[in-house]
Amino acid sequence: MLTALSSVTLFACASGPEAPKPVGPAPDPVIETRTVERKVCPAELDQDVGAQPQPADDAVLRHNDTGGDYLDAIIAWGRRAASLFNDAKAQCPTPE
């Protein structure tokens, strides 16, 4: 009788419910990263510098040497600023 009991016990263990699977952490989620490079320009570059001012025909400009040097410097400075502005504006993408 001892032999029969052992066989029944082994059979019951072998055919019992499936053992639970070990629970571990969930698989890592899939993270998709997209990098988009877009060239944008400041809104100030949308403005137009306009034409360079010209003196009127009846304009009288008088100055001493140091005043003339200052006027020459400020005119050159303004022309350079306008040139830099226009060069930067030319690098901006055209609006779609």
Side-chain angles (χ1 to χ4, degrees):
M1 174 92 181
L2 195 47
T3 309
L5 185 57
S6 296
S7 298
V8 172
T9 306
L10 289 175
F11 180 71
C13 290
S15 65
E18 191 175 307
K21 293 184 180 179
V23 178
D28 291 336
V30 175
I31 299 173
E32 182 177 321
T33 303
R34 295 182 194 174
T35 302
V36 177
E37 287 188 27
R38 225 176 19 163
K39 192 176 203 179
V40 292
C41 288
E44 290 81 7
L45 291 179
D46 287 337
Q47 300 176 33
D48 187 23
V49 174
Q52 181 177 332
Q54 299 296 321
D57 291 337
D58 60 346
V60 177
L61 302 173
R62 293 185 182 166
H63 59 78
N64 60 11
D65 288 342
T66 55
D69 291 345
Y70 168 75
L71 290 176
D72 289 342
I74 199 79
I75 289 168
W77 178 79
R79 286 181 178 160
R80 175 152 168 72
S83 176
L84 290 171
F85 179 88
N86 289 329
D87 288 348
K89 186 174 183 175
Q91 298 298 316
C92 289
T94 55
E96 295 176 12

